[in-house]
Amino acid sequence: MMNIKSIAALLLVILSVSSCKQKETTVTQVEVKEKNPFFWEAANMYFLLTDRFSNGDTSNDINFDRTQESAVLRDFMGGDIKGITQKIEDGYFTDLGINAIWFTPVVEQVHGAVDEGTGVTYGYHGYWTKDWTSLDPNFGTREDLQALIAAAHQKDIRIVMDVVLNHTGPVTEEDPFWGEDWARENPNCAFSTYENTTACSLVENLPDILTESDQEVTLPGTLVTKWKSEGRYDEEMAELDSYFAANNLKKTPRNYIIKWLTDYIRDFGVDAFRVDTTKHVDEASWAALRAQADKAFADYKTNNEDKVMDDNDFFMFGEVYNYSIDGGRAYDFGDKKVDYFANGFDNLINFQFKYDAQGSYEQLFSKYAEIKDSIFSDKSFVNYATSHDDGQPFDKDRNKAIETGTKLLLTTGISQVYYGDETARDLTIEGTDGDATLRSFMNWEDIDSTTTNEVLTHWQKLGTFRRDHPSVGTGTHEMLSAAPYVFKRSFDKNGVTDTVVVGLDLNIGVKEIVVGNAFAKAQTVKDTYSGQEASVIDGKITLDTPYDIVLLEAVQD
């Protein structure tokens, strides 16, 4: 077996020899492809609102006459696909240790605005679909999306597409209802049983797709009219007929949408789906989505052998609102329990983390490692401290930005870094109503300030350590010392071994750290937080650093 550093060293030799024989572009592609073995369960994932991250193309800021005055932070603000790509190419995500990016949906949104009780709102967030087959011009073009994915893959970053199967966007004068054979407008969900959580409209004026229906339907008239006006009706219909025939599927509402969603995998090589409103759709529909997603991913790999990153399968995780890993794999509706992991999902978002993070490091770390090793040995979960629709994040006032990074990035499970966590972006915006306060534009202007830069640097150091060491996110956890607090993480999977030691709340200056048998006798280890090295003597090392944290890895000869 080879450890992470040995693999990197061997590849460096291979690449040095190859550079004399191959073009530089080819060598770079191979290096990025193989440098760090990737495991989804240990990923460091960045979550951003496409419209609120970075404006890479000001020419697409206004479309479809979306000019009605809206409530605070409830209209389009210019963020787009090109903006994300620019930050990928600039190395922002690489410096942060990110190896997966999840951005909010970029499909075409309803053209009109609505007021759900929190003020006039446009579909800036991406969850109000008008047409699953088109990208919204506010976000960019198909060419833009292709460029983003190519840039991300070149940097060894996976792309997570946010998908909606549960509902269309709200009905407006510009956006007609799809019809009763496609969706229901009532009743509204009561959330007390399985039935009144799944077969219902999530909120007023958010038509619920009849995903459970087995009745074949024709396309909604509004979509037919739209495609004909865009000159692509015949092409789209031919594709649909071919898809349904090849897969022996009925033309039901969910199967149409599944085709449209999985096209983004077939056409672009999307690596994963984050599934919105998971518990509001029957689980059979999710199993159907996963089956078609796997087929699409296999097709993409077959047709694009030169672009395949590795042997990882397609990945799918879901938002089952208020799901907690404390409840095990099943979610309890009150009258029925559903195991989404048995219905297409590799992972669910864990809403419990922000509460568990109130405890000590060891309580948090040991609990999550134990749960992963037992209940989720073949699955995983996503942890977050902040999100786009959780009004009570771990650190709403941003008084604990350093602690947030330490706890989130060192806890077992996929870490979800919400845009601005790493820069302490303000979550208390005056004049906002509801979740809009969580969705301000990324605070790029603050990064050069001393305080923000200190926070960002901390997240960068922890993030790159996590990215480079799968043991951090999915390894076996062992406390080596209670005071000072020191623990070990070790990992052994698919021929890859990895061991690290971490110390927290240590003395500033000279510090002796117990490493036990984590490293070999006389092994040189590096503290990646300070950059200093030391040798293991009698199961201990001594460092003199201006920090209270150490992140130790073995230095390979």
Side-chain angles (χ1 to χ4, degrees), residues 533-557:
E533 296 184 356
S535 296
V536 177
I537 300 174
D538 296 329
K540 300 176 183 179
I541 66 162
T542 301
L543 291 169
D544 186 353
T545 76
Y547 309 110
D548 65 354
I549 179 174
V550 297
L551 306 173
L552 301 177
E553 64 180 20
V555 176
Q556 301 300 320
D557 296 333

Side-chain angles (χ1 to χ4, degrees), residues 120-139:
V120 174
T121 304
Y122 281 106
Y124 70 90
H125 44 66
Y127 297 105
W128 289 351
T129 306
K130 181 182 181 71
D131 185 350
W132 274 274
T133 69
S134 299
L135 297 192
D136 196 292
N138 272 73
F139 301 137

Side-chain angles (χ1 to χ4, degrees), residues 363-485:
Q363 288 173 326
L364 175 65
F365 297 156
S366 60
K367 172 183 176 177
Y368 277 58
E370 181 180 347
I371 289 176
K372 177 66 178 73
D373 290 343
S374 55
I375 302 172
F376 296 96
S377 59
D378 61 338
K379 299 291 183 178
S380 58
F381 44 85
V382 171
N383 300 316
Y384 73 88
T386 320
S387 191
H388 65 318
D389 56 4
D390 186 336
Q392 297 299 321
F394 174 68
D395 180 28
K396 189 167 187 176
D397 293 327
R398 298 298 199 187
N399 295 323
K400 301 183 289 186
I402 297 292
E403 179 186 345
T404 301
T406 303
K407 287 184 171 177
L408 179 66
L409 296 173
L410 294 180
T411 296
T412 298
I414 295 177
S415 51
Q416 172 196 301
V417 179
Y418 185 50
Y419 79 107
D421 276 348
E422 77 280 17
T423 55
R425 178 176 57 85
D426 192 0
L427 301 175
T428 56
I429 308 300
E430 185 176 355
T432 57
D433 194 354
D435 52 22
T437 191
L438 306 169
R439 304 175 178 185
S440 60
F441 208 86
M442 179 64 177
N443 58 328
W444 299 111
E445 69 280 1
D446 294 336
I447 286 181
D448 291 334
S449 73
T450 301
T451 301
T452 303
N453 190 259
E454 287 177 357
V455 172
L456 177 59
T457 299
H458 179 73
W459 282 74
Q460 288 173 333
K461 290 179 177 181
L462 283 166
T464 53
F465 185 71
R466 179 190 175 95
R467 176 199 62 203
D468 295 343
H469 294 285
S471 58
V472 177
T474 190
T476 300
H477 175 86
E478 178 186 349
M479 184 175 69
L480 300 178
S481 171
Y485 180 58

Side-chain angles (χ1 to χ4, degrees), residues 13-28:
V13 174
I14 295 172
L15 289 166
S16 297
V17 174
S18 299
S19 63
C20 299
K21 301 178 180 179
Q22 301 179 25
K23 293 181 180 180
E24 182 179 353
T25 53
T26 303
V27 173
T28 300

Side-chain angles (χ1 to χ4, degrees), residues 211-227:
T211 56
E212 76 282 5
S213 173
D214 198 39
Q215 298 300 309
E216 292 199 302
V217 296
T218 57
L219 288 175
T222 180
L223 199 59
V224 170
T225 300
K226 180 177 184 294
W227 286 357

